[in-house]
Amino acid sequence: MITRRNLLKIGGTAAMFAPFGGFSVNPALAQSGPLFRFGIVADPQYAPVVPNVRANRYYANSLWKLSEAIEVFNKEDLQFVATLGDIIDRHWESYTHILPVYDQLKHERFFLLGNHDYDVAPEYLASVVRTAGMEKAYYDFAGGGYRFIVLDGNDVSLFAPPKDDPRREIAQKRLDELKATGAVNAQTWNGSLGDEQFAWLEATIKKAQAAGEKVIVMGHYPVYPVNEHNMWDSERIVELLTGSPNVVAYFNGHNHAGNFGELNGKYFVNFKGMVDTPATSAYSIAEVHQDRIEIRGFGREESRTLKIQTA
């Protein structure tokens, strides 16, 4: 994770991490407004390159779009801001341009990584997590009666593990098996969780349930509804989330067009990509109430009400 207290030097010594102490809320606030709020950004996908008009990607424009979003966030009482992956589009030096923009943010911020965040020279792959100011590629934190679980969908993929890492061989096997079934998400630019991370996810959800915490899971890749952008192991993840009574929602990016689904009272919200379109941004503020989550969309992003199911 990265917070405003982190010290980050791109390409230099390792970042120093300050632990996030979580946050508490006053239940009396439920009578007059949300318990807490947080900001959401998906797929800034910045790079100092010309636009790809055919793909509707305006990479360099994400600097001013992100600055605009941060200006809005700074006027709000937020507990944190989460970026749902693809901070950059390509090139190692892109990090040196976009990460300092986050220094304008007055709130705690959390990153997770997407496939494009690893579109760098092979010698830099092992440094991506550290450069983004993250202690680990997957982690969790708590506040306001919620446990936020951040996944690393690049764990088993063809691009994130360093060369000769055994996870690459596992990734190729998973992809080949999906292709054999004709699965639409059998794409080289998707990834999956390692078995160790999946076991951690299951254990963390159970610990949160024992502590009386609701859960919001955040990842880069969608898992539901069925889509070509979904994680390779989306089925086992959906089964786990929909079978866990304390899970409320799964938030993700990756599919820039956005998407939405509800299954067994669990919400799957795919936020739209900031990088798309030359002049219109996309970002959100989530307001968590006792009985619902109100998502306020800005720019291209939609506003939604997610009613929290009671047992």
PDB file of all heavy atoms in Angstrom, residues 96-131:
ATOM      1  N   THR A  96       7.497   7.780 -13.047  1.00  0.00           N
ATOM      2  CA  THR A  96       8.083   9.020 -12.519  1.00  0.00           C
ATOM      3  C   THR A  96       7.214  10.229 -12.822  1.00  0.00           C
ATOM      4  O   THR A  96       7.359  11.264 -12.182  1.00  0.00           O
ATOM      5  CB  THR A  96       9.492   9.251 -13.100  1.00  0.00           C
ATOM      6  OG1 THR A  96       9.401   9.532 -14.498  1.00  0.00           O
ATOM      7  CG2 THR A  96      10.373   8.035 -12.883  1.00  0.00           C
ATOM      8  N   HIS A  97       6.298  10.100 -13.773  1.00  0.00           N
ATOM      9  CA  HIS A  97       5.409  11.207 -14.123  1.00  0.00           C
ATOM     10  C   HIS A  97       4.103  11.175 -13.330  1.00  0.00           C
ATOM     11  O   HIS A  97       3.639  12.201 -12.849  1.00  0.00           O
ATOM     12  CB  HIS A  97       5.071  11.169 -15.618  1.00  0.00           C
ATOM     13  CG  HIS A  97       6.247  11.307 -16.514  1.00  0.00           C
ATOM     14  ND1 HIS A  97       6.217  10.955 -17.849  1.00  0.00           N
ATOM     15  CD2 HIS A  97       7.508  11.753 -16.289  1.00  0.00           C
ATOM     16  CE1 HIS A  97       7.393  11.173 -18.400  1.00  0.00           C
ATOM     17  NE2 HIS A  97       8.200  11.650 -17.466  1.00  0.00           N
ATOM     18  N   ILE A  98       3.516   9.985 -13.200  1.00  0.00           N
ATOM     19  CA  ILE A  98       2.178   9.925 -12.610  1.00  0.00           C
ATOM     20  C   ILE A  98       2.174   9.768 -11.094  1.00  0.00           C
ATOM     21  O   ILE A  98       1.308  10.318 -10.408  1.00  0.00           O
ATOM     22  CB  ILE A  98       1.320   8.820 -13.265  1.00  0.00           C
ATOM     23  CG1 ILE A  98      -0.149   9.004 -12.856  1.00  0.00           C
ATOM     24  CG2 ILE A  98       1.854   7.429 -12.935  1.00  0.00           C
ATOM     25  CD1 ILE A  98      -1.121   8.182 -13.674  1.00  0.00           C
ATOM     26  N   LEU A  99       3.130   9.056 -10.515  1.00  0.00           N
ATOM     27  CA  LEU A  99       3.100   8.867  -9.060  1.00  0.00           C
ATOM     28  C   LEU A  99       3.198  10.185  -8.295  1.00  0.00           C
ATOM     29  O   LEU A  99       2.506  10.346  -7.272  1.00  0.00           O
ATOM     30  CB  LEU A  99       4.200   7.897  -8.624  1.00  0.00           C
ATOM     31  CG  LEU A  99       3.970   6.431  -8.997  1.00  0.00           C
ATOM     32  CD1 LEU A  99       5.124   5.565  -8.504  1.00  0.00           C
ATOM     33  CD2 LEU A  99       2.657   5.908  -8.435  1.00  0.00           C
ATOM     34  N   PRO A 100       4.006  11.171  -8.733  1.00  0.00           N
ATOM     35  CA  PRO A 100       4.027  12.444  -8.007  1.00  0.00           C
ATOM     36  C   PRO A 100       2.691  13.189  -8.014  1.00  0.00           C
ATOM     37  O   PRO A 100       2.436  13.993  -7.114  1.00  0.00           O
ATOM     38  CB  PRO A 100       5.106  13.250  -8.745  1.00  0.00           C
ATOM     39  CG  PRO A 100       6.025  12.221  -9.303  1.00  0.00           C
ATOM     40  CD  PRO A 100       5.103  11.105  -9.720  1.00  0.00           C
ATOM     41  N   VAL A 101       1.820  12.909  -8.990  1.00  0.00           N
ATOM     42  CA  VAL A 101       0.502  13.551  -9.009  1.00  0.00           C
ATOM     43  C   VAL A 101      -0.285  13.159  -7.767  1.00  0.00           C
ATOM     44  O   VAL A 101      -1.043  13.961  -7.202  1.00  0.00           O
ATOM     45  CB  VAL A 101      -0.271  13.177 -10.288  1.00  0.00           C
ATOM     46  CG1 VAL A 101      -1.679  13.781 -10.283  1.00  0.00           C
ATOM     47  CG2 VAL A 101       0.493  13.651 -11.528  1.00  0.00           C
ATOM     48  N   TYR A 102      -0.092  11.918  -7.304  1.00  0.00           N
ATOM     49  CA  TYR A 102      -0.798  11.450  -6.110  1.00  0.00           C
ATOM     50  C   TYR A 102      -0.354  12.205  -4.851  1.00  0.00           C
ATOM     51  O   TYR A 102      -1.052  12.160  -3.832  1.00  0.00           O
ATOM     52  CB  TYR A 102      -0.596   9.954  -5.921  1.00  0.00           C
ATOM     53  CG  TYR A 102      -1.451   9.101  -6.828  1.00  0.00           C
ATOM     54  CD1 TYR A 102      -0.981   8.674  -8.069  1.00  0.00           C
ATOM     55  CD2 TYR A 102      -2.737   8.715  -6.453  1.00  0.00           C
ATOM     56  CE1 TYR A 102      -1.755   7.883  -8.901  1.00  0.00           C
ATOM     57  CE2 TYR A 102      -3.524   7.927  -7.267  1.00  0.00           C
ATOM     58  CZ  TYR A 102      -3.026   7.520  -8.498  1.00  0.00           C
ATOM     59  OH  TYR A 102      -3.818   6.737  -9.320  1.00  0.00           O
ATOM     60  N   ASP A 103       0.785  12.876  -4.905  1.00  0.00           N
ATOM     61  CA  ASP A 103       1.231  13.643  -3.745  1.00  0.00           C
ATOM     62  C   ASP A 103       0.309  14.814  -3.440  1.00  0.00           C
ATOM     63  O   ASP A 103       0.339  15.376  -2.348  1.00  0.00           O
ATOM     64  CB  ASP A 103       2.659  14.163  -3.958  1.00  0.00           C
ATOM     65  CG  ASP A 103       3.689  13.042  -3.945  1.00  0.00           C
ATOM     66  OD1 ASP A 103       3.380  11.964  -3.385  1.00  0.00           O
ATOM     67  OD2 ASP A 103       4.787  13.234  -4.496  1.00  0.00           O
ATOM     68  N   GLN A 104      -0.526  15.194  -4.412  1.00  0.00           N
ATOM     69  CA  GLN A 104      -1.507  16.262  -4.186  1.00  0.00           C
ATOM     70  C   GLN A 104      -2.648  15.789  -3.287  1.00  0.00           C
ATOM     71  O   GLN A 104      -3.375  16.604  -2.717  1.00  0.00           O
ATOM     72  CB  GLN A 104      -2.101  16.726  -5.517  1.00  0.00           C
ATOM     73  CG  GLN A 104      -1.099  17.186  -6.559  1.00  0.00           C
ATOM     74  CD  GLN A 104      -1.747  17.355  -7.926  1.00  0.00           C
ATOM     75  OE1 GLN A 104      -2.960  17.570  -8.037  1.00  0.00           O
ATOM     76  NE2 GLN A 104      -0.968  17.239  -8.975  1.00  0.00           N
ATOM     77  N   LEU A 105      -2.808  14.486  -3.165  1.00  0.00           N
ATOM     78  CA  LEU A 105      -3.939  13.926  -2.433  1.00  0.00           C
ATOM     79  C   LEU A 105      -3.750  14.079  -0.933  1.00  0.00           C
ATOM     80  O   LEU A 105      -2.695  13.759  -0.384  1.00  0.00           O
ATOM     81  CB  LEU A 105      -4.074  12.443  -2.799  1.00  0.00           C
ATOM     82  CG  LEU A 105      -5.341  11.704  -2.354  1.00  0.00           C
ATOM     83  CD1 LEU A 105      -6.574  12.309  -2.996  1.00  0.00           C
ATOM     84  CD2 LEU A 105      -5.221  10.226  -2.730  1.00  0.00           C
ATOM     85  N   LYS A 106      -4.788  14.535  -0.257  1.00  0.00           N
ATOM     86  CA  LYS A 106      -4.747  14.747   1.187  1.00  0.00           C
ATOM     87  C   LYS A 106      -5.137  13.492   1.968  1.00  0.00           C
ATOM     88  O   LYS A 106      -5.013  13.471   3.196  1.00  0.00           O
ATOM     89  CB  LYS A 106      -5.681  15.897   1.572  1.00  0.00           C
ATOM     90  CG  LYS A 106      -5.285  17.247   0.987  1.00  0.00           C
ATOM     91  CD  LYS A 106      -6.267  18.324   1.397  1.00  0.00           C
ATOM     92  CE  LYS A 106      -5.885  19.686   0.814  1.00  0.00           C
ATOM     93  NZ  LYS A 106      -6.876  20.732   1.176  1.00  0.00           N
ATOM     94  N   HIS A 107      -5.626  12.497   1.285  1.00  0.00           N
ATOM     95  CA  HIS A 107      -6.135  11.291   1.944  1.00  0.00           C
ATOM     96  C   HIS A 107      -5.156  10.127   1.796  1.00  0.00           C
ATOM     97  O   HIS A 107      -4.261  10.153   0.944  1.00  0.00           O
ATOM     98  CB  HIS A 107      -7.483  10.893   1.343  1.00  0.00           C
ATOM     99  CG  HIS A 107      -8.464  12.012   1.240  1.00  0.00           C
ATOM    100  ND1 HIS A 107      -9.014  12.624   2.344  1.00  0.00           N
ATOM    101  CD2 HIS A 107      -8.990  12.658   0.167  1.00  0.00           C
ATOM    102  CE1 HIS A 107      -9.848  13.582   1.959  1.00  0.00           C
ATOM    103  NE2 HIS A 107      -9.843  13.618   0.647  1.00  0.00           N
ATOM    104  N   GLU A 108      -5.353   9.106   2.624  1.00  0.00           N
ATOM    105  CA  GLU A 108      -4.613   7.866   2.439  1.00  0.00           C
ATOM    106  C   GLU A 108      -4.926   7.317   1.051  1.00  0.00           C
ATOM    107  O   GLU A 108      -6.038   7.469   0.548  1.00  0.00           O
ATOM    108  CB  GLU A 108      -5.025   6.829   3.491  1.00  0.00           C
ATOM    109  CG  GLU A 108      -4.840   7.268   4.929  1.00  0.00           C
ATOM    110  CD  GLU A 108      -3.380   7.261   5.349  1.00  0.00           C
ATOM    111  OE1 GLU A 108      -2.549   6.727   4.593  1.00  0.00           O
ATOM    112  OE2 GLU A 108      -3.089   7.786   6.432  1.00  0.00           O
ATOM    113  N   ARG A 109      -3.946   6.672   0.428  1.00  0.00           N
ATOM    114  CA  ARG A 109      -4.225   6.075  -0.866  1.00  0.00           C
ATOM    115  C   ARG A 109      -3.678   4.653  -0.922  1.00  0.00           C
ATOM    116  O   ARG A 109      -2.655   4.341  -0.318  1.00  0.00           O
ATOM    117  CB  ARG A 109      -3.681   6.901  -2.021  1.00  0.00           C
ATOM    118  CG  ARG A 109      -2.183   7.060  -2.098  1.00  0.00           C
ATOM    119  CD  ARG A 109      -1.776   8.447  -1.688  1.00  0.00           C
ATOM    120  NE  ARG A 109      -0.479   8.817  -2.216  1.00  0.00           N
ATOM    121  CZ  ARG A 109       0.162   9.907  -1.837  1.00  0.00           C
ATOM    122  NH1 ARG A 109      -0.364  10.711  -0.949  1.00  0.00           N
ATOM    123  NH2 ARG A 109       1.330  10.213  -2.363  1.00  0.00           N
ATOM    124  N   PHE A 110      -4.402   3.839  -1.669  1.00  0.00           N
ATOM    125  CA  PHE A 110      -4.044   2.434  -1.834  1.00  0.00           C
ATOM    126  C   PHE A 110      -3.994   2.105  -3.318  1.00  0.00           C
ATOM    127  O   PHE A 110      -4.864   2.517  -4.085  1.00  0.00           O
ATOM    128  CB  PHE A 110      -5.069   1.528  -1.134  1.00  0.00           C
ATOM    129  CG  PHE A 110      -5.078   1.677   0.355  1.00  0.00           C
ATOM    130  CD1 PHE A 110      -5.933   2.571   0.970  1.00  0.00           C
ATOM    131  CD2 PHE A 110      -4.219   0.934   1.143  1.00  0.00           C
ATOM    132  CE1 PHE A 110      -5.938   2.721   2.346  1.00  0.00           C
ATOM    133  CE2 PHE A 110      -4.218   1.073   2.524  1.00  0.00           C
ATOM    134  CZ  PHE A 110      -5.076   1.968   3.127  1.00  0.00           C
ATOM    135  N   PHE A 111      -2.974   1.384  -3.694  1.00  0.00           N
ATOM    136  CA  PHE A 111      -2.832   0.912  -5.060  1.00  0.00           C
ATOM    137  C   PHE A 111      -3.020  -0.592  -5.111  1.00  0.00           C
ATOM    138  O   PHE A 111      -2.724  -1.316  -4.162  1.00  0.00           O
ATOM    139  CB  PHE A 111      -1.435   1.214  -5.613  1.00  0.00           C
ATOM    140  CG  PHE A 111      -1.190   2.662  -5.930  1.00  0.00           C
ATOM    141  CD1 PHE A 111       0.042   3.235  -5.648  1.00  0.00           C
ATOM    142  CD2 PHE A 111      -2.162   3.454  -6.518  1.00  0.00           C
ATOM    143  CE1 PHE A 111       0.297   4.561  -5.940  1.00  0.00           C
ATOM    144  CE2 PHE A 111      -1.922   4.774  -6.818  1.00  0.00           C
ATOM    145  CZ  PHE A 111      -0.686   5.336  -6.531  1.00  0.00           C
ATOM    146  N   LEU A 112      -3.512  -1.076  -6.233  1.00  0.00           N
ATOM    147  CA  LEU A 112      -3.314  -2.459  -6.628  1.00  0.00           C
ATOM    148  C   LEU A 112      -2.826  -2.404  -8.071  1.00  0.00           C
ATOM    149  O   LEU A 112      -2.924  -1.367  -8.728  1.00  0.00           O
ATOM    150  CB  LEU A 112      -4.588  -3.293  -6.456  1.00  0.00           C
ATOM    151  CG  LEU A 112      -5.867  -2.844  -7.179  1.00  0.00           C
ATOM    152  CD1 LEU A 112      -5.910  -3.370  -8.593  1.00  0.00           C
ATOM    153  CD2 LEU A 112      -7.079  -3.341  -6.402  1.00  0.00           C
ATOM    154  N   LEU A 113      -2.275  -3.493  -8.560  1.00  0.00           N
ATOM    155  CA  LEU A 113      -1.593  -3.467  -9.849  1.00  0.00           C
ATOM    156  C   LEU A 113      -2.370  -4.209 -10.926  1.00  0.00           C
ATOM    157  O   LEU A 113      -3.045  -5.199 -10.662  1.00  0.00           O
ATOM    158  CB  LEU A 113      -0.196  -4.071  -9.711  1.00  0.00           C
ATOM    159  CG  LEU A 113       0.723  -3.321  -8.731  1.00  0.00           C
ATOM    160  CD1 LEU A 113       2.013  -4.099  -8.506  1.00  0.00           C
ATOM    161  CD2 LEU A 113       1.019  -1.902  -9.228  1.00  0.00           C
ATOM    162  N   GLY A 114      -2.268  -3.690 -12.160  1.00  0.00           N
ATOM    163  CA  GLY A 114      -2.912  -4.306 -13.307  1.00  0.00           C
ATOM    164  C   GLY A 114      -1.889  -4.837 -14.291  1.00  0.00           C
ATOM    165  O   GLY A 114      -0.675  -4.735 -14.078  1.00  0.00           O
ATOM    166  N   ASN A 115      -2.371  -5.383 -15.384  1.00  0.00           N
ATOM    167  CA  ASN A 115      -1.466  -5.977 -16.370  1.00  0.00           C
ATOM    168  C   ASN A 115      -0.525  -4.950 -16.991  1.00  0.00           C
ATOM    169  O   ASN A 115       0.664  -5.214 -17.203  1.00  0.00           O
ATOM    170  CB  ASN A 115      -2.266  -6.700 -17.456  1.00  0.00           C
ATOM    171  CG  ASN A 115      -3.336  -5.837 -18.096  1.00  0.00           C
ATOM    172  OD1 ASN A 115      -4.138  -5.204 -17.408  1.00  0.00           O
ATOM    173  ND2 ASN A 115      -3.377  -5.814 -19.420  1.00  0.00           N
ATOM    174  N   HIS A 116      -1.015  -3.746 -17.265  1.00  0.00           N
ATOM    175  CA  HIS A 116      -0.164  -2.739 -17.900  1.00  0.00           C
ATOM    176  C   HIS A 116       0.926  -2.229 -16.963  1.00  0.00           C
ATOM    177  O   HIS A 116       1.952  -1.731 -17.437  1.00  0.00           O
ATOM    178  CB  HIS A 116      -1.017  -1.571 -18.407  1.00  0.00           C
ATOM    179  CG  HIS A 116      -1.727  -1.873 -19.685  1.00  0.00           C
ATOM    180  ND1 HIS A 116      -1.122  -1.775 -20.916  1.00  0.00           N
ATOM    181  CD2 HIS A 116      -2.992  -2.285 -19.921  1.00  0.00           C
ATOM    182  CE1 HIS A 116      -1.986  -2.110 -21.857  1.00  0.00           C
ATOM    183  NE2 HIS A 116      -3.129  -2.426 -21.278  1.00  0.00           N
ATOM    184  N   ASP A 117       0.726  -2.343 -15.676  1.00  0.00           N
ATOM    185  CA  ASP A 117       1.753  -1.905 -14.731  1.00  0.00           C
ATOM    186  C   ASP A 117       3.028  -2.730 -14.854  1.00  0.00           C
ATOM    187  O   ASP A 117       4.087  -2.317 -14.365  1.00  0.00           O
ATOM    188  CB  ASP A 117       1.217  -1.959 -13.300  1.00  0.00           C
ATOM    189  CG  ASP A 117       0.096  -0.960 -13.068  1.00  0.00           C
ATOM    190  OD1 ASP A 117       0.237   0.190 -13.523  1.00  0.00           O
ATOM    191  OD2 ASP A 117      -0.920  -1.329 -12.457  1.00  0.00           O
ATOM    192  N   TYR A 118       2.925  -3.878 -15.511  1.00  0.00           N
ATOM    193  CA  TYR A 118       4.089  -4.737 -15.718  1.00  0.00           C
ATOM    194  C   TYR A 118       4.612  -4.664 -17.161  1.00  0.00           C
ATOM    195  O   TYR A 118       5.466  -5.466 -17.544  1.00  0.00           O
ATOM    196  CB  TYR A 118       3.741  -6.183 -15.366  1.00  0.00           C
ATOM    197  CG  TYR A 118       3.588  -6.394 -13.881  1.00  0.00           C
ATOM    198  CD1 TYR A 118       2.347  -6.275 -13.269  1.00  0.00           C
ATOM    199  CD2 TYR A 118       4.697  -6.685 -13.084  1.00  0.00           C
ATOM    200  CE1 TYR A 118       2.205  -6.457 -11.895  1.00  0.00           C
ATOM    201  CE2 TYR A 118       4.558  -6.866 -11.713  1.00  0.00           C
ATOM    202  CZ  TYR A 118       3.307  -6.749 -11.130  1.00  0.00           C
ATOM    203  OH  TYR A 118       3.168  -6.914  -9.764  1.00  0.00           O
ATOM    204  N   ASP A 119       4.105  -3.708 -17.942  1.00  0.00           N
ATOM    205  CA  ASP A 119       4.587  -3.556 -19.310  1.00  0.00           C
ATOM    206  C   ASP A 119       5.855  -2.700 -19.298  1.00  0.00           C
ATOM    207  O   ASP A 119       5.892  -1.570 -19.795  1.00  0.00           O
ATOM    208  CB  ASP A 119       3.507  -2.922 -20.188  1.00  0.00           C
ATOM    209  CG  ASP A 119       3.831  -3.054 -21.679  1.00  0.00           C
ATOM    210  OD1 ASP A 119       4.911  -3.592 -22.007  1.00  0.00           O
ATOM    211  OD2 ASP A 119       3.007  -2.605 -22.503  1.00  0.00           O
ATOM    212  N   VAL A 120       6.872  -3.251 -18.683  1.00  0.00           N
ATOM    213  CA  VAL A 120       8.164  -2.581 -18.517  1.00  0.00           C
ATOM    214  C   VAL A 120       9.261  -3.562 -18.915  1.00  0.00           C
ATOM    215  O   VAL A 120       8.998  -4.744 -19.134  1.00  0.00           O
ATOM    216  CB  VAL A 120       8.366  -2.109 -17.057  1.00  0.00           C
ATOM    217  CG1 VAL A 120       7.324  -1.067 -16.673  1.00  0.00           C
ATOM    218  CG2 VAL A 120       8.312  -3.290 -16.082  1.00  0.00           C
ATOM    219  N   ALA A 121      10.485  -3.075 -19.012  1.00  0.00           N
ATOM    220  CA  ALA A 121      11.599  -3.948 -19.358  1.00  0.00           C
ATOM    221  C   ALA A 121      11.735  -5.065 -18.324  1.00  0.00           C
ATOM    222  O   ALA A 121      11.458  -4.860 -17.134  1.00  0.00           O
ATOM    223  CB  ALA A 121      12.888  -3.138 -19.440  1.00  0.00           C
ATOM    224  N   PRO A 122      12.156  -6.262 -18.738  1.00  0.00           N
ATOM    225  CA  PRO A 122      12.223  -7.415 -17.831  1.00  0.00           C
ATOM    226  C   PRO A 122      13.008  -7.161 -16.550  1.00  0.00           C
ATOM    227  O   PRO A 122      12.647  -7.680 -15.487  1.00  0.00           O
ATOM    228  CB  PRO A 122      12.900  -8.495 -18.693  1.00  0.00           C
ATOM    229  CG  PRO A 122      12.564  -8.125 -20.095  1.00  0.00           C
ATOM    230  CD  PRO A 122      12.536  -6.622 -20.122  1.00  0.00           C
ATOM    231  N   GLU A 123      14.044  -6.347 -16.624  1.00  0.00           N
ATOM    232  CA  GLU A 123      14.868  -6.112 -15.433  1.00  0.00           C
ATOM    233  C   GLU A 123      14.147  -5.306 -14.357  1.00  0.00           C
ATOM    234  O   GLU A 123      14.597  -5.239 -13.216  1.00  0.00           O
ATOM    235  CB  GLU A 123      16.183  -5.420 -15.811  1.00  0.00           C
ATOM    236  CG  GLU A 123      16.022  -4.062 -16.466  1.00  0.00           C
ATOM    237  CD  GLU A 123      16.034  -4.136 -17.988  1.00  0.00           C
ATOM    238  OE1 GLU A 123      15.609  -5.191 -18.534  1.00  0.00           O
ATOM    239  OE2 GLU A 123      16.451  -3.158 -18.629  1.00  0.00           O
ATOM    240  N   TYR A 124      12.997  -4.713 -14.709  1.00  0.00           N
ATOM    241  CA  TYR A 124      12.251  -3.909 -13.737  1.00  0.00           C
ATOM    242  C   TYR A 124      11.066  -4.663 -13.120  1.00  0.00           C
ATOM    243  O   TYR A 124      10.417  -4.145 -12.202  1.00  0.00           O
ATOM    244  CB  TYR A 124      11.736  -2.627 -14.382  1.00  0.00           C
ATOM    245  CG  TYR A 124      12.816  -1.667 -14.810  1.00  0.00           C
ATOM    246  CD1 TYR A 124      12.893  -1.222 -16.128  1.00  0.00           C
ATOM    247  CD2 TYR A 124      13.753  -1.188 -13.902  1.00  0.00           C
ATOM    248  CE1 TYR A 124      13.889  -0.328 -16.524  1.00  0.00           C
ATOM    249  CE2 TYR A 124      14.746  -0.296 -14.286  1.00  0.00           C
ATOM    250  CZ  TYR A 124      14.806   0.123 -15.609  1.00  0.00           C
ATOM    251  OH  TYR A 124      15.786   1.004 -15.994  1.00  0.00           O
ATOM    252  N   LEU A 125      10.755  -5.845 -13.610  1.00  0.00           N
ATOM    253  CA  LEU A 125       9.556  -6.543 -13.145  1.00  0.00           C
ATOM    254  C   LEU A 125       9.537  -6.736 -11.631  1.00  0.00           C
ATOM    255  O   LEU A 125       8.506  -6.549 -10.979  1.00  0.00           O
ATOM    256  CB  LEU A 125       9.435  -7.901 -13.837  1.00  0.00           C
ATOM    257  CG  LEU A 125       9.038  -7.877 -15.314  1.00  0.00           C
ATOM    258  CD1 LEU A 125       9.071  -9.287 -15.893  1.00  0.00           C
ATOM    259  CD2 LEU A 125       7.660  -7.255 -15.491  1.00  0.00           C
ATOM    260  N   ALA A 126      10.662  -7.112 -11.067  1.00  0.00           N
ATOM    261  CA  ALA A 126      10.720  -7.384  -9.628  1.00  0.00           C
ATOM    262  C   ALA A 126      10.607  -6.117  -8.790  1.00  0.00           C
ATOM    263  O   ALA A 126      10.423  -6.201  -7.572  1.00  0.00           O
ATOM    264  CB  ALA A 126      12.013  -8.113  -9.286  1.00  0.00           C
ATOM    265  N   SER A 127      10.690  -4.951  -9.421  1.00  0.00           N
ATOM    266  CA  SER A 127      10.666  -3.681  -8.683  1.00  0.00           C
ATOM    267  C   SER A 127       9.333  -2.954  -8.766  1.00  0.00           C
ATOM    268  O   SER A 127       9.170  -1.909  -8.146  1.00  0.00           O
ATOM    269  CB  SER A 127      11.765  -2.752  -9.211  1.00  0.00           C
ATOM    270  OG  SER A 127      13.044  -3.317  -9.037  1.00  0.00           O
ATOM    271  N   VAL A 128       8.367  -3.497  -9.521  1.00  0.00           N
ATOM    272  CA  VAL A 128       7.102  -2.791  -9.726  1.00  0.00           C
ATOM    273  C   VAL A 128       6.357  -2.581  -8.417  1.00  0.00           C
ATOM    274  O   VAL A 128       5.875  -1.481  -8.118  1.00  0.00           O
ATOM    275  CB  VAL A 128       6.223  -3.537 -10.746  1.00  0.00           C
ATOM    276  CG1 VAL A 128       4.824  -2.931 -10.786  1.00  0.00           C
ATOM    277  CG2 VAL A 128       6.851  -3.487 -12.138  1.00  0.00           C
ATOM    278  N   VAL A 129       6.252  -3.627  -7.606  1.00  0.00           N
ATOM    279  CA  VAL A 129       5.502  -3.517  -6.345  1.00  0.00           C
ATOM    280  C   VAL A 129       6.129  -2.454  -5.448  1.00  0.00           C
ATOM    281  O   VAL A 129       5.436  -1.588  -4.903  1.00  0.00           O
ATOM    282  CB  VAL A 129       5.448  -4.880  -5.632  1.00  0.00           C
ATOM    283  CG1 VAL A 129       4.845  -4.743  -4.232  1.00  0.00           C
ATOM    284  CG2 VAL A 129       4.638  -5.877  -6.449  1.00  0.00           C
ATOM    285  N   ARG A 130       7.445  -2.509  -5.284  1.00  0.00           N
ATOM    286  CA  ARG A 130       8.137  -1.539  -4.440  1.00  0.00           C
ATOM    287  C   ARG A 130       7.989  -0.116  -4.976  1.00  0.00           C
ATOM    288  O   ARG A 130       7.764   0.837  -4.229  1.00  0.00           O
ATOM    289  CB  ARG A 130       9.623  -1.895  -4.343  1.00  0.00           C
ATOM    290  CG  ARG A 130      10.457  -0.856  -3.585  1.00  0.00           C
ATOM    291  CD  ARG A 130      11.942  -1.136  -3.680  1.00  0.00           C
ATOM    292  NE  ARG A 130      12.434  -1.079  -5.049  1.00  0.00           N
ATOM    293  CZ  ARG A 130      12.744   0.061  -5.668  1.00  0.00           C
ATOM    294  NH1 ARG A 130      12.583   1.226  -5.058  1.00  0.00           N
ATOM    295  NH2 ARG A 130      13.199   0.041  -6.903  1.00  0.00           N
ATOM    296  N   THR A 131       8.089   0.040  -6.287  1.00  0.00           N
ATOM    297  CA  THR A 131       8.016   1.363  -6.890  1.00  0.00           C
ATOM    298  C   THR A 131       6.651   1.999  -6.680  1.00  0.00           C
ATOM    299  O   THR A 131       6.542   3.215  -6.501  1.00  0.00           O
ATOM    300  CB  THR A 131       8.341   1.264  -8.396  1.00  0.00           C
ATOM    301  OG1 THR A 131       9.688   0.823  -8.538  1.00  0.00           O
ATOM    302  CG2 THR A 131       8.176   2.603  -9.084  1.00  0.00           C
TER     303      THR A 131
END
